[in-house]
Amino acid sequence: MIDVNTTGGSLSELQNWMQGMVLRPQRANDRATTGISDVVRSSSRLSAEQHLHIYQGSYIARLRECMRSQFSALAFALGTDLFEAFTDEYLATYPSASYTLNDLGKKFPAFLEETRPDAQQEQKESWPDFMIELAAFEYSLSVIFDSLAD
């Protein structure tokens, strides 16, 4: 439960604060930020921090689900745990910046290329190439599908 009246700031400032807390949960532990309990009300069952944690968990779960939907073959090929690890790192590096989640995975193939485990090796393994190409293919399919829906 967000308490707009006790923040003393504008709605825009509150929205920016909340977005930062949801997109970068590590900020919730940063003492330099506004106190969570100054913005989020505690209830009889949950502390302010627990309320915020629900928003954070729900947001990342929704983004993971969008990525899984957009890259279903890659998610299958990598398995749930590895796909979510890549997704979480990707989302931390390239947080959603669009009003539509259709663009969420736009940089995912490039991210996989940037973070490939054999990047520093002279001789490359073939499985990262397959995963990167599969991600690029799946993103292209989603772009085509979205353009047909318009």
Side-chain angles (χ1 to χ4, degrees):
M1 181 180 285
I2 305 295
D3 191 351
V4 179
N5 297 323
T6 63
T7 62
S10 69
L11 179 59
S12 176
E13 291 170 331
L14 176 64
Q15 289 171 328
N16 288 335
W17 179 88
M18 186 66 177
Q19 181 183 35
M21 291 304 221
V22 170
L23 292 176
R24 293 171 195 83
Q26 66 276 12
R27 283 187 58 194
N29 297 324
D30 183 359
R31 299 285 180 215
T33 61
T34 301
I36 294 168
S37 60
D38 293 336
V39 180
V40 180
R41 279 191 230 160
S42 295
S43 67
S44 61
R45 291 190 193 186
L46 298 172
S47 69
E49 291 80 7
Q50 289 170 319
H51 280 285
L52 181 61
H53 185 70
I54 290 170
Y55 281 102
Q56 292 166 334
S58 299
Y59 182 74
I60 194 67
R62 175 68 178 125
L63 294 184
R64 281 180 184 158
E65 187 56 38
C66 288
M67 292 289 289
R68 187 177 295 108
S69 175
Q70 199 165 48
F71 299 99
S72 57
L74 182 63
F76 178 80
L78 290 173
T80 300
D81 292 341
L82 188 54
F83 181 76
E84 284 185 3
F86 277 121
T87 298
D88 289 354
E89 191 175 336
Y90 168 72
L91 294 170
T93 305
Y94 297 106
S96 178
S98 175
Y99 71 94
T100 175
L101 293 176
N102 292 344
D103 295 335
L104 185 62
K106 185 176 188 173
K107 297 178 183 175
F108 197 46
F111 170 80
L112 294 174
E113 179 69 44
E114 294 165 8
T115 59
R116 63 182 296 148
D118 61 357
Q120 303 302 324
Q121 298 174 3
E122 196 170 309
Q123 189 169 1
K124 306 289 188 212
E125 296 184 44
S126 60
W127 70 267
D129 292 329
F130 171 73
M131 298 300 173
I132 294 163
E133 289 174 20
L134 181 57
F137 175 73
E138 286 192 287
Y139 185 74
S140 295
L141 286 178
S142 71
V143 169
I144 291 167
F145 180 78
D146 289 341
S147 70
L148 294 175
D150 290 337

